Amino acid sequence: MQLTVQDVLDYGLLEGAVIRTAKEFAHARPVHWVSVMEMPVENFVRRNELVLTTAMGCKNDLETFRGFVKDIIDSGAAALMIAMGRHVYEIPKEVAELAEAHEFLLVELPWELRFSTVIEEVMIDLNDLHSQERQRSEQVQQDLLKLILADAELEKIAAYIRRELGSALLITDGYGAVQASAGFSRTKLEAWERQVSKGTFPICQEPPKGNRDPMVQKFRSGELGGRKLVQVPVLQVSEEAQGYLFVELPENAGDGRLDVFSVHVLEHAATTISLWRSRQNAVEETKAALRMDFVRELANGEFTTKEQAASRARALGYDLELPYIGLAGSPENFRELFERRKPDHSSYTEWSKSMVAYIEEEIHYAAHAMKRTVMTGYADGYLIVFLEKPLESGQENQINFLDLIERRLGNLLPEVVLSWGIGDYEEGFEGFSNSFRHAKAALEIGRRKKGAGHRMDYRDTRADRLLLQLAKTEGMKDIILSTIQPLVDYDQQRQMNLIGTFSAYNHYQGNVSQTARALNLHRQSLLYRLRKIESLTGLSLVDPDDLFLLELCVRTYRIRANEPNNA
């Protein structure tokens, strides 16, 4: 819906007007403005402006007249209407040829026709059209808002926008991945994906400097398959483009500029898509928080009945009837990485949350690749993972799963150190909390025995757990303290590490030469330390019973020193 030059020429008051050039284009030339202009033109004429003139400044000079008309043409005006009879009696042949070459309309007006009368008629029609466009634009805005309130899918919103614009369109994320489309064939979508992979779209160049046109400043244009596309950013609160709306212009779109109504529709559409994204993000964040709470409560055994847990699980899309095995993960160096990089986050808590979310994405990716169901959460510094375990599979299910996670994180987050504990499978509802508790115990034991960045299976910790049980008895506590404490005190005073020396000596089965090489000690220095151990403990390192007692006390002491609360 627009006013054209032909519509103006059809006014009764312009009955005496004569179209001298480009008559066949009168129906296609839109009129957005109307003005009276004499020389000089400079930048006072707007695109699609209907210009009225007496050409009084030309003074019968052909080159001056030609230059005046050329400036009007270059401004993008809709047409030039010249009052004939005082300053111009005839449009020169050279000027008419110039206009024809540019498919530009030159119209002769009777001298007695008042410009103010023409302007009044044009402005009445333009105001009427603007009023209609404003009403249509407001209706579009209301319809889009209703779609949002009705929880419409993005495809339905795209279809509505296409009907209003009459053009095919795409809705993408910030990287150009298609989220919804309307009117694009499979072939065009494939072509789009190729252009995105090449970096052609989204368009990232800066707007031309000095051009304050809102459309030029906000919108970008490109080409796909010989057709022009307009790129409209979808903004979030941060004012960064979180996605884009791409609209294919009609084949007869000329210079690719949109009319006012289309611009308004695109702006309303961008706002609507932004609201839709915000709503979806809020929904996903809420679901993620509920899932995390559920997994945490499941791991800690906080549900009173199986039915209560099953009801929550169904609402979140989980199936507790599947066999699961618990895994516990611990990021070991988050604080160190945060301090080293000083990332642009307000706090360590915010940064660590984003890192945990990233790791969880890789956990879900690994589960999807292995076609396993997975439930994840994070609490008290531990990653909580319940991985589906086919009943016929053994340890390779968990090992392959962790291998895949570590391979991907090794490429994407090579500096992050993760320790893992693998629980054992237990049937029944109570098996969830037991399996995770065992996984956490295995993680802590593995961390003390192997250091950070390793994994430990609960089934491989039997000896360590036996020592823990022995260490809990009152009699055993007294024996450990009376045997080990003299060595601990001496090590603290002299920094000699007698406990480490004994462990190495016992590891090499009493071979002094091998022990000295392993500890990088002179043989005599090692013998001095061994004699000091015997004198402090009152035990002989050549007596098998004394050797067994000292080994038992050392291993139990080390486990007790960092015993996890729930081991």
Side-chain angles (χ1 to χ4, degrees):
M1 182 185 302
Q2 61 183 356
L3 183 69
T4 67
V5 174
Q6 186 62 54
D7 294 329
V8 176
L9 291 170
D10 289 340
Y11 293 164
L13 59 91
L14 290 178
E15 185 177 356
V18 178
I19 304 176
R20 282 292 309 275
T21 60
K23 182 177 181 179
E24 64 273 23
F25 295 101
H27 289 282
R29 292 288 186 269
V31 175
H32 293 164
W33 321 90
V34 61
S35 68
V36 177
M37 179 60 59
E38 304 296 347
M39 293 182 63
V41 176
E42 296 182 353
N43 61 347
F44 296 112
V45 176
R46 290 167 288 192
R47 183 174 292 275
N48 297 325
E49 186 166 311
L50 178 62
V51 180
L52 309 176
T53 187
T54 64
M56 67 172 63
C58 297
K59 299 179 181 179
N60 296 320
D61 184 281
L62 175 61
E63 287 305 315
T64 302
F65 192 11
R66 190 177 186 278
F68 173 63
V69 174
K70 179 66 164 56
D71 289 343
I72 296 291
I73 294 172
D74 290 344
S75 70
L80 178 62
M81 293 186 171
I82 306 171
M84 310 294 290
R86 176 167 297 184
H87 303 288
V88 177
Y89 292 93
E90 181 181 7
I91 296 177
K93 176 183 176 183
E94 292 83 355
V95 174
E97 289 176 349
L98 172 68
E100 284 288 1
H102 288 84
E103 299 175 350
F104 183 73
L105 283 145
L106 290 179
V107 180
E108 297 178 351
L109 298 180
W111 178 261
E112 61 273 14
L113 180 62
R114 296 174 63 88
F115 284 175
S116 60
T117 306
V118 177
I119 291 173
E120 182 181 6
E121 290 295 319
V122 172
M123 290 305 301
I124 289 173
D125 282 348
L126 286 177
N127 287 334
D128 286 344
L129 286 173
H130 291 163
S131 177
Q132 294 174 34
E133 286 182 345
R134 185 167 56 253
Q135 292 175 6
R136 286 181 61 200
S137 175
E138 290 174 354
Q139 184 61 51
V140 168
Q141 187 178 32
Q142 292 175 12
D143 291 345
L144 288 170
L145 182 58
K146 289 178 181 177
L147 289 173
I148 288 291
L149 295 176
D151 290 337
E153 294 297 326
L154 201 55
E155 290 285 352
K156 190 172 182 179
I157 294 174
Y160 175 85
I161 299 170
R162 186 197 177 197
R163 285 197 302 271
E164 290 299 318
L165 293 176
S167 302
L169 59 90
L170 294 173
I171 299 173
T172 76
D173 64 12
Y175 302 99
V178 177
Q179 295 180 319
S181 66
F184 269 71
S185 64
R186 182 180 295 275
T187 302
K188 281 190 175 181
L189 289 174
E190 292 173 352
W192 169 264
E193 291 176 358
R194 289 194 294 270
Q195 293 301 316
V196 170
S197 65
K198 292 179 181 178
T200 307
F201 294 102
I203 305 166
C204 301
Q205 81 265 21
E206 293 295 322
K209 293 182 178 180
N211 192 327
R212 297 186 178 182
D213 188 326
M215 178 177 167
V216 174
Q217 287 293 320
K218 187 173 182 179
F219 298 169
R220 303 285 181 274
S221 61
E223 188 172 302
L224 179 68
R227 296 284 291 277
K228 288 186 177 179
L229 289 181
V230 171
Q231 172 181 294
V232 184
V234 176
L235 303 179
Q236 297 284 39
V237 177
S238 64
E239 292 300 314
E240 295 182 358
Q242 302 297 309
Y244 296 97
L245 173 62
F246 292 89
V247 178
E248 184 179 71
L249 297 182
E251 290 181 329
N252 59 351
D255 61 1
R257 297 178 65 88
L258 300 168
D259 58 44
V260 175
F261 173 73
S262 296
V263 171
H264 288 167
V265 170
L266 289 178
E267 290 176 340
H268 295 326
T271 302
T272 300
I273 296 168
S274 181
L275 289 172
W276 185 89
R277 287 181 183 278
S278 297
R279 186 194 66 190
Q280 290 299 109
N281 289 341
V283 169
E284 291 303 318
E285 288 176 4
T286 301
K287 286 183 178 178
L290 291 173
R291 289 186 178 122
M292 183 168 289
D293 287 342
F294 171 78
V295 172
R296 176 184 55 78
E297 293 173 24
L298 192 65
N300 292 338
E302 297 178 16
F303 289 103
T304 56
T305 64
K306 178 181 179 180
E307 290 71 23
Q308 179 191 19
S311 176
R312 284 268 301 278
R314 284 192 298 271
L316 296 171
Y318 292 143
D319 182 4
L320 297 188
E321 296 300 321
L322 295 173
Y324 290 93
I325 190 165
L327 305 173
S330 176
E332 301 288 6
N333 60 338
F334 272 6
R335 176 66 69 176
E336 176 187 342
L337 292 177
F338 179 81
E339 294 297 333
R340 188 194 312 165
R341 296 184 177 184
K342 295 294 183 183
D344 187 20
H345 287 75
S346 60
S347 67
Y348 170 75
T349 301
E350 179 188 353
W351 179 83
S352 62
K353 282 183 178 179
S354 66
M355 293 294 287
V356 168
Y358 197 96
I359 294 172
E360 284 190 308
E361 285 184 13
E362 297 307 316
I363 291 173
H364 283 276
Y365 174 87
H368 177 75
M370 293 180 60
K371 298 181 180 180
R372 301 282 189 268
T373 301
V374 70
M375 300 184 291
T376 64
Y378 185 77
D380 302 324
Y382 291 98
L383 288 160
I384 306 170
V385 180
F386 287 107
L387 176 68
E388 179 188 358
K389 177 188 178 299
L391 293 177
E392 68 278 4
S393 70
Q395 285 181 291
E396 70 276 1
N397 181 65
Q398 298 80 255
I399 293 173
N400 293 339
F401 175 71
L402 293 177
D403 284 346
L404 181 54
I405 292 173
E406 290 179 353
R407 279 199 303 271
R408 286 182 59 85
L409 288 178
N411 293 325
L412 301 173
L413 298 174
E415 295 180 307
V416 173
V417 176
L418 282 172
S419 300
W420 290 97
I422 304 173
D424 51 349
Y425 171 69
E426 291 191 23
E427 293 186 1
F429 174 65
E430 295 78 10
F432 287 99
S433 59
N434 289 340
S435 183
F436 179 72
R437 179 166 54 85
H438 293 164
K440 194 160 65 166
L443 185 152
E444 296 294 346
I445 292 172
R447 179 189 283 158
R448 289 194 302 275
K449 292 186 67 174
K450 300 180 179 181
H454 293 86
R455 65 179 75 154
M456 176 68 75
D457 193 306
Y458 185 71
R459 287 175 293 183
D460 298 331
T461 64
R462 287 174 292 184
D464 300 284
R465 286 184 277 127
L466 176 61
L467 293 175
L468 284 172
Q469 292 300 319
L470 288 173
K472 290 178 182 179
T473 63
E474 290 300 322
M476 190 63 185
K477 288 180 184 178
D478 295 337
I479 294 173
I480 294 171
L481 290 176
S482 62
T483 304
I484 295 298
Q485 197 61 47
L487 299 180
V488 174
D489 294 340
Y490 192 85
D491 283 347
Q492 291 176 348
Q493 294 170 5
R494 304 294 181 89
Q495 302 296 314
M496 193 169 285
N497 192 17
L498 294 181
I499 293 178
T501 301
F502 168 75
S503 295
Y505 175 77
N506 199 43
H507 175 75
Y508 290 106
Q509 300 177 352
N511 188 306
V512 174
S513 298
Q514 286 184 321
T515 305
R517 283 196 297 270
L519 296 176
N520 196 24
L521 289 174
H522 190 275
R523 180 183 178 88
Q524 293 302 319
S525 297
L526 173 61
L527 292 174
Y528 172 78
R529 289 190 182 187
L530 295 177
R531 287 195 295 271
K532 180 59 67 175
I533 292 172
E534 289 180 325
S535 66
L536 290 172
T537 61
L539 300 174
S540 171
L541 297 184
V542 296
D543 186 312
D545 291 338
D546 287 355
L547 200 62
F548 170 75
L549 175 60
L550 188 54
E551 170 70 8
L552 181 64
C553 290
V554 168
R555 292 187 60 180
T556 307
Y557 170 79
R558 283 178 165 172
I559 291 175
R560 287 281 304 171
N562 295 295
E563 179 186 357
N565 294 332
N566 296 322

